[in-house]
Amino acid sequence: MQHEKPYSLDDEEREILMAYQSGTLTSVPPSSDHQAMARATLKKNKKINIRISENDLAALQRKALREGIPCQTLIGSILHKYASGFLKEVR
């Protein structure tokens, strides 16, 4: 079995992980803003075609298979996170 590359967490992510692991993480009721964002995320209103390398597509398909989700759903999620500013480059 191949190991995933290690990833680095920022201070906020480490704080959340520690709270989760210690059992002190509490949930916050969703606000109407969060609900609207979730509805907008699920709304699919445009269809696009893109060219992608075979190697990148194969890697995405493997990741989607491991996650148990369709490849297009994974790609859409990645694009949404990037466009929303939630996907950050690790250097």
Side-chain angles (χ1 to χ4, degrees), residues 8-19 88:
S8 60
L9 301 176
D10 63 25
D11 291 339
E12 183 181 14
E13 291 168 329
R14 275 192 291 281
E15 182 181 338
I16 292 168
L17 180 59
M18 288 180 3
K88 297 181 181 176

Side-chain angles (χ1 to χ4, degrees), residues 19-20 23-28:
Y20 173 77
T24 60
L25 188 66
T26 58
S27 63
V28 176

Side-chain angles (χ1 to χ4, degrees), residues 4 7 59-75 77-78 81:
E4 295 285 324
Y7 53 91
L60 287 166
Q61 289 171 329
R62 285 191 302 273
K63 287 183 183 286
L65 186 61
R66 279 196 303 268
E67 295 293 322
I69 59 174
C71 188
Q72 287 186 7
T73 302
L74 175 64
I75 293 169
S77 173
I78 292 167
K81 288 174 185 176

Side-chain angles (χ1 to χ4, degrees), residues 15-16 18 47-48 51-52 58 61 64 77 79 86 91:
E15 182 181 338
I16 292 168
M18 288 180 3
K47 188 175 188 176
I48 65 166
R51 292 192 183 274
I52 186 170
Q61 289 171 329
S77 173
L79 291 172
F86 291 106
R91 294 180 188 241

